[in-house]
Amino acid sequence: MLRAGALLALGGAAVPLTGCDLFDRDDESRTPDPLEPLAAEATALEARHRAAATAVPALAERLTAIADAHRAHAEELRRVIGRPAPSGSPAANPSVAAADPDTVRTELRQAEQEGRDNAARACAAAPAERAALLGSIAAARATHVEALK
């Protein structure tokens, strides 16, 4: 009764004054989005391709194009999630174990295949409004696998 009187005194505000509502909002922002791992994976794949392009200049043009696609995917996933990328990402400076072009392509192809499978699983589990984006990412990663042959 006092709460109703206070609301009327404040101009009839329609906002509920419950403790749960005031404090639960912060908890919601901490709940990880199911797309977080896919966004992190896109960032890691971008970094891995850029490092390989530096290590193997003969592959630089091809790998840079693929890295640019991963950057675009990571940015779009972050936009959909509504959160910026975490700062200080551990994938920022990956090393490339081998400088042999065939070995580098094989390693990147395996990473792309795993990424394609992850994106396809995420697409199958996603709500309709996210499925088109995830399907597009899965298709792009499948194309990357072919481009690395």
Side-chain angles (χ1 to χ4, degrees):
M1 198 153 149
L2 288 174
R3 186 182 295 170
L7 284 175
L8 289 174
L10 292 172
V15 178
L17 295 176
T18 62
C20 293
D21 184 50
L22 293 174
F23 296 110
D24 284 347
R25 289 182 192 159
D26 190 40
D27 291 341
E28 288 177 41
S29 67
R30 291 186 201 153
T31 303
D33 189 287
L35 297 183
E36 289 284 348
L38 206 58
E41 183 178 53
T43 300
L45 284 168
E46 176 197 358
R48 192 166 179 185
H49 281 77
R50 292 203 192 283
T54 301
V56 185
L59 298 175
E61 185 176 343
R62 184 183 325 181
L63 298 181
T64 299
I66 294 172
D68 290 345
H70 285 300
R71 172 181 282 168
H73 295 157
E75 288 172 355
E76 185 61 14
L77 287 164
R78 292 279 171 211
R79 186 194 68 74
V80 168
I81 293 168
R83 295 184 196 152
S87 61
S89 173
N93 294 314
S95 63
V96 176
D100 172 54
D102 292 334
T103 304
V104 168
R105 281 195 342 263
T106 298
E107 290 173 358
L108 291 174
R109 193 169 49 246
Q110 289 171 347
E112 289 289 347
Q113 288 169 334
E114 183 179 330
R116 176 202 59 208
D117 294 345
N118 291 339
R121 277 191 294 277
C123 180
E129 65 272 7
R130 292 181 166 190
L133 170 63
L134 298 172
S136 175
I137 291 171
R141 290 180 180 180
T143 302
H144 299 163
V145 170
E146 293 303 312
L148 290 165
K149 285 187 176 178

